């Protein structure tokens, strides 16, 4: 038997009803903040992620679905959306046309990770990218949009962690100090961290390995290497969050795994999902436009993992029953009514009703059972008598009450 690909999932039934609710809220929140939807292809040139996300990141190092197409181009199923959005913004000159571009997206992404609860190889993100503002107000707006979206969904068991990576210059100074400190203790670091020492030393700070943690506890702090601009930027972001009443903690070890960040970085985590605890990640990525060959453009954004939202909502509320697929089920009570029943269904669909009809030529009783199972509001019963006097028996499903309605009054009766 052929099964679904490992780490990928079919969505249907009650779970899909929860997805639909999340999708409605996402759209509503993005609209409320004045963001416009942007859609990019699922596949991009591999080079985009190598340059944008960085060769030192886990994503590029070991998680991408990369293949050569028939023309010999190396393509990759997108593992994240920020680099594609920036690629598109450069390509379509978005920021030159409008100094501030507020964009949002929703769609599937692919990372070859070890699957477990909350971590999949195909997953979905809702995200927003604010292009063209270097000001801390933009960082705060982005964080608020992420935070309020979770609140609007009723997800409150989450915590916001913030940090700042400062400007490139202050980060470089810190990087040198950190590497010097770690170099002396290299043999005690985990294998992963030893490898990262040259490639991406800041990542060692958020290693989960106990030995790494013990060593980094005494490491120099990024905070002490920040220049005045970086400090002021971060202070204003915090001021705005405080004023908006958004609770957060500052986490010195939060560095994020992608190479494009500068200044503010943040994550929203939950304790309700086991080890896959990050619901949202984001930050400012002023270097990215230039990394991708564009004109330098400041930008900030976030991505929320939708699978994790759905898991949280199901845990919170036990999920939602799917919406009934239709309002009306047309039941043919006799063989001579089968064709007229189909025609009635066609007529009502054209009038804007959602209508099911029998496609198995079963007994009236079996059709009524199906109508009840589908959860429709009305069953319309059509038999020899009704055909003769051009009426339909309208049965209200929730109480079983029945009314005989003439053909020509049917639509207005159902709408009343
Ligand atoms: P990220 O931290 O790699 O950031 O991913 C953001 C969120 O996507 C995570 O917090 C998590 O909820 C979800 N996620 C990631 N990997 C998986 C997976 N394998 N299965 C299920 N969910 C997953 C980014 O992607 C950046 N583009 C965020 C950003 C936007 N930075 C600036 N703008």
């Amino acid at each position: 038997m052929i099964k679904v690909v490992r780490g990928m999932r079919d969505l249907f039934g009650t779970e899909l009803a929860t997805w639909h609710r999340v999708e409605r809220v996402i759209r509503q929140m993005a609209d409320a903040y004045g963001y416009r939807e942007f859609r990019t292809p699922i596949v991009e040139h591999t080079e985009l992620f190598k340059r944008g996300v960085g060769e030192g990141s886990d994503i590029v190092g070991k998680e991408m679905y990369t293949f050569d197409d028939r023309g010999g181009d190396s393509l990759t199923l997108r593992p994240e959306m920020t680099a594609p959005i920036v690629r598109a913004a450069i390509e379509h000159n978005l920021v030159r046309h409008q100094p501030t571009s507020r964009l949002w997206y929703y769609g599937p992404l692919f990372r070859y990770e070890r699957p477990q609860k909350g971590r999949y190889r195909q997953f979905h993100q809702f995200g927003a990218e604010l292009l063209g503002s270097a000001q801390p107000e933009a960082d705060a707006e982005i964080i608020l949009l992420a935070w309020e979206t979770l609140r609007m969904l009723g997800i409150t068991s989450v915590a916001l962690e913030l940090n700042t990576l400062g400007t490139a210059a202050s980060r470089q100074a810190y990087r040198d100090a950190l590497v010097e400190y770690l170099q002396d203790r290299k043999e005690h670091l985990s294998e992963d961290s030893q490898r990262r020492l040259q490639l991406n030393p800041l990542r060692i700070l958020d290693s989960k390995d106990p030995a790494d943690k013990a060593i980094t506890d005494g490491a120099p702090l990024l905070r002490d290497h920040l220049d005045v601009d970086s400090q002021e930027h971060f202070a204003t972001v915090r001021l705005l969050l405080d004023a908006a009443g958004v609770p957060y903690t500052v986490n010195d070890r939060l560095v994020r795994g992608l190479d494009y960040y500068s200044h503010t970085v943040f994550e929203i985590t939950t304790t309700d999902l086991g080890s896959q605890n990050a619901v949202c990640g984001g930050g400012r990525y002023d270097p990215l436009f230039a990394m991708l060959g564009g004109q330098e453009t400041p930008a900030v954004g976030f991505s929320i993992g939708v699978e994790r939202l759905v898991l949280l909502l199901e845990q919170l509320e036990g999920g939602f029953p799917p919406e009934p697929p239709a309002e009306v089920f047309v039941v043919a009570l006799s063989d001579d009514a089968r064709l007229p029943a189909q025609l009635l269904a066609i007529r009502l669909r054209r009038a804007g009703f959602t209508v099911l009809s029998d496609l198995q030529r079963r007994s009236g009783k079996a059709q009524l059972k199906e109508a009840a199972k589908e959860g429709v509001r009305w069953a319309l019963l059509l038999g020899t008598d009704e055909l003769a006097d051009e009426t339909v028996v309208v049965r209200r499903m929730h109480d079983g009450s029945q009314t005989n309605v003439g053909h020509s009054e049917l639509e207005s009766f159902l709408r009343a």
Side-chain angles (χ1 to χ4, degrees):
M1 196 175 48
I2 299 175
K3 291 197 172 157
V4 71
V5 174
R6 185 165 137 82
M8 306 201 180
R9 305 175 61 244
D10 299 313
L11 299 176
F12 56 97
T14 13
E15 185 186 350
L16 193 55
T18 305
W19 279 77
H20 285 157
R21 195 162 75 94
V22 170
E23 287 161 8
R24 272 198 301 276
V25 170
I26 285 170
R27 199 169 276 279
Q28 183 192 333
M29 291 303 291
D31 284 349
Y33 276 67
Y35 283 62
R36 287 177 198 280
E37 188 178 2
F38 204 98
R39 297 188 188 181
T40 60
I42 306 279
V43 177
E44 297 275 356
H45 291 288
T46 303
E47 190 59 21
L48 173 66
F49 302 111
K50 283 196 174 164
R51 271 208 264 160
V53 179
E55 307 253 15
S57 66
D58 284 352
I59 292 180
V60 173
K62 49 189 187 195
E63 294 171 1
M64 294 206 299
Y65 281 87
T66 296
F67 60 97
D68 287 342
D69 74 3
R70 288 174 192 276
D73 285 337
S74 179
L75 303 181
T76 293
L77 301 186
R78 61 190 191 189
E80 65 102 49
M81 279 298 292
T82 308
I85 291 282
V86 169
R87 193 254 323 129
I90 296 170
E91 197 165 332
H92 304 292
N93 238 325
L94 293 189
V95 181
R96 199 166 313 153
H97 290 142
Q98 205 177 2
T100 309
S101 260
R102 292 178 164 88
L103 306 174
W104 70 277
Y105 51 83
Y106 167 66
L109 303 152
F110 303 83
R111 294 183 191 175
Y112 194 82
E113 295 193 79
R114 199 166 48 77
Q116 62 182 84
K117 183 181 169 193
R119 186 165 71 196
Y120 309 101
R121 290 181 173 170
Q122 174 177 315
F123 63 99
H124 296 71
Q125 282 181 348
F126 158 55
E129 311 292 350
L130 206 178
L131 314 177
S133 167
Q135 303 307 330
E137 292 88 323
D139 309 38
E141 179 175 301
I142 277 290
I143 294 171
L144 268 149
L145 174 51
W147 185 258
E148 305 277 336
T149 301
L150 299 177
R151 279 227 330 215
M152 190 58 102
L153 282 163
I155 295 175
T156 50
S157 60
V158 285
L160 169 63
E161 293 185 3
L162 291 187
N163 195 17
T164 176
L165 303 178
T167 56
S170 50
R171 204 159 52 253
Q172 187 57 49
Y174 174 64
R175 193 188 151 113
D176 295 345
L178 182 67
V179 171
E180 196 185 313
Y181 171 87
L182 292 174
Q183 197 70 50
D184 295 341
R185 295 155 180 85
K186 187 174 171 185
E187 64 274 25
H188 304 297
L189 287 172
S190 69
E191 235 173 81
D192 259 354
S193 293
Q194 291 193 15
R195 203 168 34 79
R196 284 188 175 129
L197 195 52
Q198 295 312 321
L199 220 53
N200 200 348
L202 266 62
R203 277 303 304 281
I204 299 174
L205 293 175
D206 69 3
S207 163
K208 304 247 174 348
D209 184 282
D212 290 348
K213 271 194 165 156
I215 293 174
T216 49
D217 271 342
L221 290 172
L222 179 57
R223 173 173 358 129
D224 300 329
H225 291 77
L226 292 178
D227 53 33
V228 177
D229 281 354
S230 303
Q231 287 178 23
E232 281 178 358
H233 186 99
F234 196 48
T236 309
V237 174
R238 294 182 56 177
L239 187 89
L240 283 163
L241 294 178
D242 290 337
V246 176
Y248 59 84
T249 50
V250 175
N251 176 358
D252 278 324
R253 289 172 177 270
L254 181 67
V255 294
R256 307 271 305 137
L258 303 86
D259 281 3
Y260 46 58
Y261 291 111
S262 61
H263 288 291
T264 319
V265 287
F266 62 95
E267 269 180 13
I268 301 176
T269 56
T270 171
T271 47
D272 295 345
L273 283 183
S275 63
Q276 296 314 305
N277 62 355
V279 177
C280 171
R284 176 165 282 286
Y285 51 93
D286 295 348
L288 186 55
F289 273 73
M291 283 159 74
L292 296 179
Q295 204 178 323
E296 249 181 62
T297 307
V300 55
F302 72 80
S303 312
I304 291 179
V306 177
E307 277 75 5
R308 295 182 191 178
L309 288 189
V310 169
L311 278 169
L312 281 175
L313 286 174
E314 285 185 328
Q315 245 162 259
L316 265 176
E317 305 161 341
F320 288 79
E323 296 276 318
E327 302 159 284
V328 177
F329 195 110
V330 184
V331 174
L333 294 174
S334 52
D335 277 337
D336 56 345
R338 292 201 194 277
L339 205 63
Q342 296 301 331
L343 295 178
L344 182 59
I346 292 168
R347 177 180 130 192
L348 289 175
R349 286 184 192 122
R350 284 186 175 150
F353 293 93
T354 53
V355 184
L356 299 175
S357 63
D358 171 56
L359 300 176
Q360 309 282 1
R361 300 200 175 176
R362 286 169 307 176
S363 68
K365 201 171 150 199
Q367 292 174 54
L368 265 172
K369 232 169 142 180
E370 186 182 345
K373 212 172 101 198
E374 292 289 4
V376 296
R377 277 181 76 189
W378 297 288
L380 308 187
L381 314 183
L382 210 55
T384 312
D385 293 350
E386 289 74 29
L387 287 179
D389 58 11
E390 296 197 347
T391 61
V392 179
V393 174
V394 177
R395 179 202 283 253
R396 204 177 282 279
M397 294 300 281
H398 75 95
D399 61 6
S401 64
Q402 301 196 156
T403 318
N404 211 271
V405 181
H407 270 190
S408 51
E409 285 94 58
L410 189 54
E411 279 92 338
S412 50
F413 181 88
L414 293 176
R415 286 212 174 92

